[in-house]
Amino acid sequence: MKPTTKKVVLITILALPVLLVFADEYPALRFRGDGQFSGGPVFGYWIRLKAIPFCAGEYTFHFRGMPNEEMSLQLYTDGESGRPALTNLSTRLEAVLSDQKGRVVCAGAGVVPKEGEPCDDCKIPTDKEIEARRQKEWILMSGPNVAAYYHVNCLNARLKPSDLYTLKLRVLAVDPQTPHINLIPTLEGGQLDLP
C-alpha cells in the first residue's frame, strides 16, 4: 500500500517539531562552519578546525550552531608531543574569538611557554605574579602521545547556538627552533562533571 501525498505531508508536518527538539539537544545537527563537529551531551563536544602550519601567518575560521555550553580553545600539535621541542620558544601566538556583533568572547596572546628559566635571585613567585605571567603566555599540556597549547583567557567561554563566531589565529615572530608541525585549533566543552 503506497502512502498518499496527504499522508506524507502530514507525517512531515508532525515530524518537524520532533526534529527541531532533537536538533536543539544534539548540536551536531545544527552546526555549520569551518570545522568538524563530534561528541554529544553526555561525553562533551569537540569542534576540530582545519590544521594550520606552526609558522608565520593569519588564519580565520567561521562557525555557528554551537552547543549552549562553555567551550575552551586548545591548539593541538600534529606531529610533535615532546615538551622540549614545544617549549622555550619565542614564537608568539594570538587568538581572538568574536561573535557576529564584533564582541570579543575570548582573546589570548603571548609566547609559547618557557621552562626552566635561569635566575640570579631565585625566589618563589606570588600567586599574583604567577597569574600575571599566565595571562601573557600560552600553556602547554602534554601526555605520551598528545600535546596542546591553551591560554587561560580562552578557557570556559560561554557560546550560544544562535550566534555566528569568527576565530582569528595569528602566528608571529616565529622562533627558528619552532618545529615544522601543524596546529589543530579545537573547541572543547560540555563534559559532565563526575564525582
Side-chain angles (χ1 to χ4, degrees):
M1 178 189 228
K2 188 175 179 181
T4 65
T5 305
K6 257 186 180 180
K7 285 183 181 177
V8 171
V9 170
L10 182 62
I11 290 170
T12 304
I13 290 172
L14 293 174
L16 190 58
V18 173
L19 181 62
L20 291 175
V21 168
F22 184 75
D24 191 50
E25 185 65 30
Y26 295 95
L29 298 175
R30 68 170 177 251
F31 178 81
R32 300 287 179 266
D34 299 329
Q36 290 183 303
F37 190 102
S38 61
V42 176
F43 297 109
Y45 304 100
W46 297 269
I47 294 94
R48 287 177 181 81
L49 304 172
K50 182 180 173 190
I52 62 171
F54 197 8
C55 59
E58 185 171 317
Y59 311 92
T60 303
F61 303 94
H62 304 281
F63 43 88
R64 72 173 338 131
M66 299 296 290
N68 189 18
E69 298 283 348
E70 290 182 343
M71 304 288 283
S72 297
L73 173 65
Q74 298 178 25
L75 305 175
Y76 281 90
T77 60
D78 184 19
E80 179 65 62
S81 62
R83 287 191 78 84
L86 299 170
T87 56
N88 294 317
L89 304 171
S90 61
T91 302
R92 183 171 174 78
L93 296 170
E94 294 179 357
V96 177
L97 178 62
S98 56
D99 65 15
Q100 73 269 10
K101 294 180 181 174
R103 291 181 296 224
V104 174
V105 176
C106 80
V111 295
V112 295
K114 304 282 187 208
E115 289 189 343
E117 292 181 26
C119 61
D120 295 328
D121 184 19
C122 292
K123 61 181 180 178
I124 297 173
T126 66
D127 289 343
K128 194 172 186 178
E129 290 171 329
I130 291 169
E131 187 57 32
R133 179 178 171 185
R134 290 182 72 187
Q135 296 287 329
K136 296 178 184 172
E137 68 181 29
W138 290 78
I139 299 164
L140 179 69
M141 62 174 189
S142 65
N145 298 316
V146 66
Y149 294 110
Y150 69 91
H151 197 285
V152 294
N153 292 345
C154 287
L155 295 178
N156 303 320
R158 174 59 74 173
L159 302 181
K160 299 176 184 172
S162 59
D163 287 352
L164 171 66
Y165 293 97
T166 299
L167 173 64
K168 290 189 179 187
L169 294 171
R170 295 175 69 198
V171 182
L172 307 162
V174 177
D175 189 304
Q177 299 301 313
T178 300
H180 298 287
I181 60 171
N182 289 326
L183 298 175
I184 304 169
T186 304
L187 291 158
E188 298 181 5
Q191 291 89 353
L192 289 178
D193 293 329
L194 299 175

